[in-house]
Each structure stands twice: as C-alpha cells, then as structure tokens.
Amino acid sequence: MKKIGLGIVGLGYIGNLHLRHSLKVPDARLVAVADMSKKALARARETGVKKLFTNYEDLLKDPEVDAVVIALPTHLHLDCALRAAEAGKHVLLEKPIAKNLEEAKQIVIAARRNSIKLMIGYPLRFNSLFRDIKEKIQSGTLGDVEVAYSTFISSGPFLHRAEGHTPIPVPEWWFHAESTGGGALIDLGSHLINLTRWYFGEVTDIKSHLRHRFNLESEDGAVCLAKFKSGALAVINVGWFSQSYKLAIEVFGSVSNAYAEHTSSNPIMTVAQALTTGTTKLHWPHLAELQHFVHCLSNDLNPSPSGEEGLKDLQAITQAYKNQFSLI
Amino acid sequence: MSLVSFVKVRKNAPESIRSSILESLDLVGYRFSKEVKNVVIKPNLCYYWDRSTGQTTDPDFIASLVSLLRQRISPNVDVSIVESDASAMKCKHVFKMLGYEKLSRDQNVRLVNLSEDDYSPLKVTVDGHVFTIMVPETIRKAELKINVPKIKYMRDPMFLTCALKNVYGCNPYARKSKLHADIERAIVGLNKAMGFNLCIVDGISVSGTQPRMLGLVMASEDPVAVDVAAARIAGLNPSRIKYIKVAASEGLGSSSFVEKGSPMRYFSARYPKRTVRDKVMSTAYRLMTLTRMSRRIGLE
C-alpha cells in the first residue's frame, strides 16, 4: 500500500508534537514541513525531513504531499485550509476549526467542494481513559447520565517554556481576540464541548460566565452550563489562570459514575504506576489521532471528528459567548 | 554595620501594609527627603505570574508605598514604576495583566518600560572585568531609587533572587540571557551602575518550594545585607551565593548586619524551604535535561 505523504504546516508546540508522532505512523511518511522560523525548520531537519519551506503555499504545491496537518495560529486556519482544499490535500486541522463561524463554514464548504477529507484535532477522543467513559455511557453501565463535570484548567498560552536557559516568549497573537476568536472558552472549552457532545449528543442550550483575572482582551476563565439532546447537563469549567494543570471529566449516571483525568504519559511513570497501582496509563492521544487520520485516508473512510463536528463545537461556543450570565 | 529591619504585617490590607513599610523604615532610621522631586520604584515582575504565586511584587504593596511617598515627601512627587522586557516577558502585557496599569491610573504614577527608554553607556569594573552598562534615563535622572524585590528561589547557581538580582531587570536589553554566562558579575555591575538608594522587600507572600503568606516587610539601605538576610530566611548559606560575595567585595554593602524589629528566625521558620528530597529531584531533573534524557522518555 502506498504510504500517505504528510506535510506539517506550523512548527510551534503542537506542530512539533505532530512532527514527532508522524515519524511513528507506519502508513505515513513525513514529506515536508513549513514554518516561517528558520530555527524551527533547522530543528525539523534533524528528524530527517527533507523538504523545508518558509511558505506553506510551496508545501501545498508539492505533489508528494497527500495530506497536511495545519497547526497554525487560529486566525491563519482559514487561508491555509482553503488553499490546501483547493490543492486537493486532505487536512487535519488543529482545534478550534476557525476564529468565527463564518470562517469555519467556508472551511467546511471548501472541503466538501474539493472532495478532501477534513478532520479536526481533538486528541481527547483518542485518549483511552476518555474513550472508556464513552464506552460506559453507550453500554448503559452508568445508567442515565444526569450531570457531567468537566474541567480544563492550566496556564494555557502562558505556560512557561524554555529552550535550554532561554525562556520562550508567548506568541503575540495569543494576546489579541481578533486572532484567537476568544480566550480560554474557545481555546480549552472547545476540547470539552467536543468531548461532551460526543458523549451526550448535540448541545440544546448553553450559558457562560466569563472571568478576566488578568485584564486580557479575552476571558482567562469561563464556567459554562450546557444541556444536551440526551437530557444530560454538563458544567464546563475552563481557565488559563493556574500554574497547575488539570483536564478531567466526571460523569454521574443513575446507576454509577465515572471519572477520567488526562495526565502526561511517559514510560517511566507508566511502569511506576503499574507497580504501585496495578494499572497502566500509557497512551499517546496525538499519535492515535494521527494514526486514525492516516488510516481513514488509506482506506477511504471519513475521519472523525470531522469538519462538520468542529463547526458544531464552534456554534456551541459562539452561543455560550452570546448567552452570558452574571453573578453579583 | 548595616541595619536590616523585619516587620510583621498584621493584615494584608493597604493601611496595615503602609504602616508596616513605615515601621520598617523607622527601624533602620531612614527618612525621606522633602527635596526629592522624582522617585523610581523597581518591583520584581517576572513572566506573567501574578502576586498569588509569590514570584512578583504585589501592586497593592507598591500602592501603599506610593501613598507613603506622597504623604512623606510631597503630594506632587513624580513616581515612576520601572521594568524592562525580558526574553519571554513584554512590559506592555505584564503591566496590564498583573494590575500595574490599574495602579498607574489610580495612583497617578508612570509606568516605564526601560527597554523603550533612552539610555547612556556607563563603564563599570567588577572583579577586574569591565562591563558597559546601559543606564536608562529614567533611572539616571531619579533622585530616589527604591528597589522592591521578592524573596524567591532561582535555579542554580544563583539559588536566590532578592535585592541584588532584582536590579538585573533594569538592564534594558530584552535578551537578558546573553549575560547569563557571567551573571554573577553582571548583577553586581548593574547594581553599581544603577545606584539604588533603598530596598523594601515585599515578603508578604513568598515563593519557596511553594507560595506562602509570610507577612514580612524588610527594609535596609544596604542591598548586600538584605540579600544575606533573605538567604538565611530561605534556608540558604549566603557565603555560597557568589554574587553576594562579589557585591560585598565591590563595596556595595556589608555581609554582616544588625537585626531590627521582629526576629529573623520567626520568618525563617515559616519560609517554604527546599528539602533534601527537593534538592535531589532538581539535580536529577537537571542532569536529565542536560543529557536530553528527559526528552527521550517523554518528560518534556
């Protein structure tokens, strides 16, 4: 079987994660990468990738590239996704699909018109712990789900990172709502909205309370209450305000409840956990996500979460921004 | 011998902070001159971490200090709060995010990004090494320069950041890491060039192995004595911190001092100090980072 030729556009934190994982997908070969930073390209060269572009338009012209992973800032999704679709390249687009609904619709329409496969990057769907909850909901083990409590609290874009002894600056686009489409709600909330939609069906109503601890243009915290087609309620609690990291969901059903928490995965910690608790947690959601995308391309299947699902997530988020509630 | 005062803040409220600052200055015999027309205050702003982390100077602490300056010097005294861009921190964002823009509006003080200020070169010699330090105009023209640092751990080899290290943030170059190869002497050089007059430590919250409310205001005119005291509070041996030794030998201050006010041991007992386990873990992590092992096993 012919291997899928992959291109990666954007070599920031997530782009680099995709780059490392793309080398581990047996049915794919990394053909090219594109980034404006020559330093980022030089690092990519060390992994063995041969074609390095400072302009993604050149990467999209490459006939060896069958599909692209777009890991650009949100405000650049539209242009790159449209050009990729027009060039006939399949797309794995990082969440959120776009900074607003109008752009998201354009991306979905372009994908349909050009008959390319469009998948939105939501790695939680590929985390075994969160998949277990889906399985429990579907199998009825939990009974009827009444309420879920989901949390994604972290530093968001303000996570302090360093290269050697030199701290890495927060990219400027994160400070501007025009580029991001919003704050913690669209950035982190999109993961939880997608996850809860997957569990409970479409959002029928949603309200939000936004918080501004750091006086940013956009919210740095949000608590949302969402109701779903299944009748379940979910609290969606997101924030960029903490130095600690927590990404978890607890689902309460009429029979039982279930809890899943995302933690960073590495072999040493997994072995330590296996020895102390008898359970293992080794999972690489971004790798599984990329494997699923490549598998769908190789077998002419539709990848999930699709562009349409990304659009529905953004519709729910947009509704949450509109339906704000205040507290005295 | 230098004097260093230690004052317990009874309540984390503006009036209580103001009276504690005043008490700390009285204990070391410091009096504001009515002749002063303009004052520079250098808080410690580090990345985008807010006051709750214990890593950055609380804007409420600065507000209390400004109100004291206006009362003791003149209601019209010109006050500038200064900081400079760093590799990963931009003043235009940090002033806004950490509440300094609000402070500027409420207290009518200027916020100055030293990286955008005019500056003039000044040659200083430290330990036989000549540095050309760019002195920002706002600092050069100030008649009173007040250093308002935090007490916190840094990565080795410095171990501690307090008064002397805070002045490193007056270096207008954003790429401060360029000086890291000779950071101890660079810190001392910057202190010699900037010439701060007074140090008031915001030790109400501190950052050790974790943040903690310590309720301390510490003051002195001697930055070396302040750093020696801060090191002891943090459970560190000041004689092992190179820049403190160099600063003392360069005449920036004295390593010995007289304690005034509450006993230093009261605060030392409450500081969240590094344990042996912390030291072993940080050494192991550093080794793994240096050998790139941490990346290979997925810790990075």
Side-chain angles (χ1 to χ4, degrees):
Chain A
M1 189 188 289
K2 179 184 172 280
K3 287 192 174 189
I4 301 294
L6 284 180
I8 296 175
V9 180
L11 292 174
Y13 178 72
I14 295 292
N16 267 304
L17 205 60
H18 285 301
L19 187 149
R20 290 209 295 273
H21 289 319
S22 66
L23 305 171
K24 298 173 190 162
V25 180
D27 294 335
R29 64 188 182 94
L30 181 61
V31 173
V33 293
D35 196 284
M36 284 168 66
S37 159
K38 289 188 176 161
K39 205 171 160 187
L41 292 175
R43 273 200 307 268
R45 189 197 300 272
E46 289 172 19
T47 66
V49 60
K50 296 282 189 299
K51 295 179 183 176
L52 310 161
F53 299 102
T54 50
N55 185 332
Y56 61 70
E57 289 171 35
D58 295 331
L59 181 146
L60 294 173
K61 284 177 195 159
D62 192 314
E64 284 191 75
V65 173
D66 301 308
V68 288
V69 178
I70 300 177
L72 290 171
T74 312
H75 64 290
L76 302 177
H77 283 189
L78 177 68
D79 185 67
C80 187
L82 292 188
R83 285 173 192 270
E86 281 158 17
K89 313 294 185 192
H90 304 292
V91 173
L92 169 54
L93 178 61
E94 267 304 320
K95 64 85 217 167
I97 180 170
K99 66 178 185 181
N100 58 43
L101 284 176
E102 191 187 321
E103 293 189 359
K105 283 173 189 164
Q106 285 186 56
I107 292 171
V108 170
I109 290 167
R112 276 191 213 138
R113 191 172 54 230
N114 292 285
S115 303
I116 60 125
K117 296 186 192 299
L118 171 62
M119 176 175 166
I120 309 300
Y122 285 115
L124 288 185
R125 292 248 196 138
F126 300 91
N127 181 318
S128 55
L129 302 174
F130 291 86
R131 292 178 80 88
D132 285 350
I133 290 195
K134 172 75 174 169
E135 169 68 25
K136 284 178 182 168
I137 293 168
Q138 279 186 326
S139 65
T141 311
L142 302 180
D144 294 334
V145 174
E146 281 294 315
V147 179
Y149 192 91
S150 60
T151 299
F152 196 166
I153 302 290
S154 69
S155 309
F158 303 105
L159 176 66
H160 191 258
R161 296 193 183 105
E163 258 181 36
H165 290 315
T166 307
I168 299 171
V170 179
E172 187 64 25
W173 69 277
W174 278 109
F175 292 95
H176 304 290
E178 177 57 28
S179 308
T180 55
L185 176 54
I186 190 168
D187 176 38
L188 306 179
S190 56
H191 283 289
L192 300 181
I193 297 267
N194 181 268
L195 187 72
T196 46
R197 276 188 51 254
W198 188 43
Y199 288 166
F200 311 126
E202 298 311 325
V203 174
T204 56
D205 196 10
I206 185 165
K207 290 182 169 56
S208 70
H209 177 72
L210 306 183
R211 300 175 65 80
H212 292 86
R213 180 182 175 88
F214 291 108
N215 312 306
L216 294 163
E217 281 181 23
S218 303
E219 76 287 352
D220 46 54
V223 178
C224 300
L225 189 59
K227 191 172 181 190
F228 297 83
K229 201 175 171 186
S230 72
L233 284 180
V235 175
I236 292 160
N237 173 23
V238 294
W240 283 347
F241 55 81
S242 178
Q243 293 196 344
S244 70
Y245 177 97
K246 179 141 186 165
L247 169 50
I249 188 163
E250 190 160 21
V251 178
F252 300 90
S254 55
V255 176
S256 181
N257 57 62
Y259 177 79
E261 181 172 351
H262 174 79
T263 48
S264 63
S265 186
N266 69 76
I268 288 181
M269 293 305 289
T270 301
V271 170
Q273 193 187 35
L275 292 173
T276 53
T277 66
T279 59
T280 59
K281 65 167 186 66
L282 188 59
H283 47 80
W284 305 100
H286 282 93
L287 175 59
E289 177 186 76
L290 197 58
Q291 282 170 332
H292 170 76
F293 179 60
V294 169
H295 173 78
C296 290
L297 300 187
S298 302
N299 296 282
D300 195 24
L301 302 169
N302 290 323
S304 179
S306 64
E308 283 80 1
E309 287 178 76
L311 177 60
K312 282 179 183 171
D313 296 331
L314 194 56
Q315 281 167 337
I317 288 164
T318 307
Q319 197 185 341
Y321 276 124
K322 279 184 187 160
N323 297 342
Q324 289 182 37
F325 64 89
S326 55
L327 297 165
I328 299 164
Chain B
M1 199 177 282
S2 300
L3 303 178
V4 179
S5 61
F6 304 84
V7 174
K8 283 184 207 171
V9 180
R10 283 164 194 83
K11 197 176 164 191
N12 194 5
E15 195 46 49
S16 178
I17 296 171
R18 209 172 81 125
S19 64
S20 300
I21 295 172
L22 188 58
E23 187 184 341
S24 71
L25 295 174
D26 285 344
L27 284 166
V28 295
Y30 188 85
R31 297 283 179 273
F32 292 114
S33 163
K34 297 266 185 198
E35 305 301 313
V36 168
K37 296 281 183 297
N38 59 71
V39 181
V40 153
I41 298 174
K42 169 66 175 74
N44 186 338
L45 303 185
C46 178
Y47 196 59
Y48 302 109
W49 293 315
D50 76 359
R51 57 181 158 192
S52 66
T53 64
Q55 306 248 18
T56 50
T57 305
D58 190 336
D60 289 347
F61 190 92
I62 300 291
S64 298
L65 175 59
V66 171
S67 125
L68 191 63
L69 295 172
R70 294 255 159 83
Q71 186 198 53
R72 295 288 160 139
I73 299 174
S74 152
N76 301 319
V77 66
D78 181 66
V79 179
S80 298
I81 296 170
V82 301
E83 187 51 89
S84 63
D85 291 339
S87 302
M89 181 194 89
K90 299 283 170 273
C91 284
K92 65 177 177 179
H93 298 310
V94 82
F95 283 147
K96 186 178 178 186
M97 288 177 69
L98 302 196
Y100 278 82
E101 274 191 6
K102 183 175 182 301
L103 165 70
S104 166
R105 288 193 301 271
D106 294 349
Q107 300 273 348
N108 190 27
V109 296
R110 287 196 301 145
L111 300 176
V112 180
N113 178 356
L114 297 176
S115 300
E116 294 172 354
D117 204 6
D118 293 332
Y119 47 80
S120 43
L122 179 69
K123 283 193 190 313
V124 291
T125 306
V126 180
D127 198 18
H129 185 92
V130 180
F131 287 93
T132 302
I133 306 281
M134 297 300 168
V135 181
E137 285 299 287
T138 306
I139 291 185
R140 193 181 64 77
K141 288 178 182 168
E143 292 165 336
L144 173 62
K145 299 164 208 173
I146 307 174
N147 182 1
V148 189
K150 301 293 291 181
I151 306 174
K152 57 188 180 180
Y153 288 138
M154 289 289 289
R155 64 168 183 266
D156 297 343
M158 283 181 294
F159 302 106
L160 173 86
T161 175
C162 192
L164 292 163
K165 172 66 173 62
N166 191 35
V167 175
Y168 194 67
C170 294
N171 175 7
Y173 284 127
R175 296 273 298 171
K176 291 181 173 53
S177 52
K178 281 193 170 178
L179 279 175
H180 278 191
D182 198 7
I183 192 162
E184 286 91 358
R185 288 191 294 195
I187 288 171
V188 176
L190 277 151
N191 275 273
K192 286 178 94 171
M194 303 299 167
F196 275 78
N197 313 96
L198 177 64
C199 180
I200 306 170
V201 177
D202 168 13
I204 295 177
S205 68
V206 293
S207 169
T209 51
Q210 60 195 19
R212 184 166 297 169
M213 297 301 287
L214 194 63
L216 164 68
V217 175
M218 187 162 79
S220 179
E221 292 178 78
D222 180 343
V224 177
V226 165
D227 274 12
V228 169
R232 287 185 185 148
I233 286 171
L236 302 171
N237 180 352
S239 66
R240 292 188 61 196
I241 301 173
K242 195 177 163 189
Y243 69 77
I244 295 180
K245 282 201 294 188
V246 177
S249 67
E250 290 289 325
L252 278 174
S254 166
S255 294
S256 48
F257 58 89
V258 175
E259 285 180 48
K260 292 283 182 180
S262 300
M264 188 170 68
R265 66 176 180 279
Y266 170 86
F267 300 102
S268 181
R270 284 158 181 78
Y271 192 89
K273 297 184 189 69
R274 266 181 194 164
T275 60
V276 173
R277 182 180 168 277
D278 293 325
K279 288 174 189 167
V280 169
M281 291 297 281
S282 72
T283 305
Y285 188 77
R286 206 165 54 248
L287 280 172
M288 285 167 72
T289 307
L290 282 173
T291 57
R292 306 191 78 179
M293 176 67 82
S294 54
R295 176 160 288 192
R296 284 201 287 272
I297 63 170
L299 285 175
E300 282 183 59

